[in-house]
Amino acid sequence: MATREFLQQLISNPDRLKDLVDYAKETAFQHGLIIRTHETPNSSEVATYAPFTLFPTPVPKAALLQALAVQTHFNTLVDKISQDPDFLEEALASTIQADDFAAKLFGIYRQVQQEGRTQSIVLGMNRSDYMVDQKEDGTPSLKQVEINTIAAGSFGVSDRLPMVHRLVLQSVGLVEESNRVQDTNRTAAMSAALAKAWELYGQQKAVIMFLVEESQISKFSHRCIEKELWNRKIPVIRRRFEEVSIGGSLDGDKKLFIDGLEVAVVYYRFGYMPDNYTEQSWETRLLMERSLAVKCPDVGTQLAGTKKVQQVLARPGVLEKFFPDQPDVVEQIRATFAGLYSLDMGPEGDRSVAMALADPEKFVLKPQREGGGNNYFGDDIIRVLQEVKTDKRRAAYILMERIRPRTEPNILLRKQLPITLASVCYEIGVYGAYVRHGGEMVLNEVCGYTLRTKNSENNDGGIIGGVTVFDSAFVI
């Protein structure tokens, strides 16, 4: 692996560094590690390389194995929560009073529960994100940042990055090191879960519908998933909320039809943020949730991935409710939890507010949002909590212990970003997929992992947001 000394030598030789960076970018293009541009997000005629690190980043083997080992348990946990309306109602009671987005999602969940679920096939495609916390004694400790239960991305074209990294290492003479960068074909494994749900639906002419946004910068990655499905002779269509609203309907059996095509699976690549919805979009979401189509995720599974549920799960005795007589499973999951604190109105929440205001650098303030760029740190924690500390709006947030990740030197490659040696930190994202048919879990798998890396000076992340880049693990 590239050492600090090696990287310093590169930085001190601008011509050699430029040649290596150009080679890395050209290799990325050669292997299809590409993304649409922010300037032309809907054009397939203009593309750039997907942002990535020049070298793979060292990751402790023990932390990686721990994250992989617990993923099927998280799959089971998410599924059990989604089936437990009493737990969700209790866990989210204060949040839905303070957060309109969570309230609308829960309103759809409650309506579908009252009407009776029409579809017994459940499909989950999750990504659980972790950082390696660096304790004062130097011991690494894996801590979960969040679990993503809707539109879990960062697979697709990024499957090609390990090959790019191996070639970069080989080009500078690090041949033995290149053999330690492993392939992780996440797209095939995640797509297999979509295919299994479609197969169980039992209608060969029915389609899998990707529910997508207007700005489709990640479309090349979506095409990787579509290719896997078409290879299995599974038809795929792409539609936006507006198109489903115009062309979508339910028949007498609640089968979902779009422009005359029966939909077996609705795969949400959109719909995880408030600004993803108009009033018409909410009606369309309810239409799809009430339908016979398999939803990935259904609204209960989306709610199971909220920050508030994450915080409630960390309370004593809660995991035991979902895994009775399985203390080993409970311990594996709980070992990944950072400190999580309620901000509900009352003494417990008051203590959390006081704790955060007294030492904001120790915490992260998290709203019920996905997609990166939503969290608050440092002085911003003080500002937000001072605004909401005496009213119910504070229940829209949770407080989390701030993880202090190990850092490594690397060079981040992104269009128009200056080439500099940076101190970087990373998140390990572990993919999991499951399919349940009635009471039987017919598929429950860990589907590989990804590394997403950023300059350690940046608090929040996000590939599309322009902070985080794709990375490969150099296992140490």
Side-chain angles (χ1 to χ4, degrees), residues 342-374:
S342 170
L343 291 172
D344 291 356
M345 300 304 291
E348 181 185 2
D350 291 344
R351 286 192 295 271
S352 299
V353 169
M355 191 167 58
L357 291 176
D359 200 347
E361 294 301 325
K362 288 185 177 181
F363 302 99
V364 182
L365 185 65
K366 292 189 167 188
Q368 313 301 311
R369 299 289 179 266
E370 306 297 335
N374 302 298

Side-chain angles (χ1 to χ4, degrees), residues 33-34 125-127 148 150-160 184-194 210 218-226 228-229 267-269 296 429-433 447-452 463 470:
L33 185 68
I34 56 174
M125 296 169 63
N126 305 323
R127 193 190 71 231
N148 302 270
I150 180 170
S154 295
F155 66 99
V157 299
S158 63
D159 285 1
R160 287 81 182 266
T184 171
N185 191 4
R186 301 155 297 214
T187 305
M190 294 289 273
S191 301
L194 280 165
F210 286 41
S218 298
K219 192 173 184 180
F220 294 146
S221 280
H222 297 183
R223 291 299 193 203
C224 295
I225 308 168
E226 291 175 35
E228 294 284 341
L229 296 171
Y267 178 33
Y268 288 95
R269 298 298 314 180
C296 182
V430 178
Y431 295 94
C447 300
Y449 65 91
T450 188
L451 222 64
R452 294 170 303 143
I463 295 283
F470 296 115

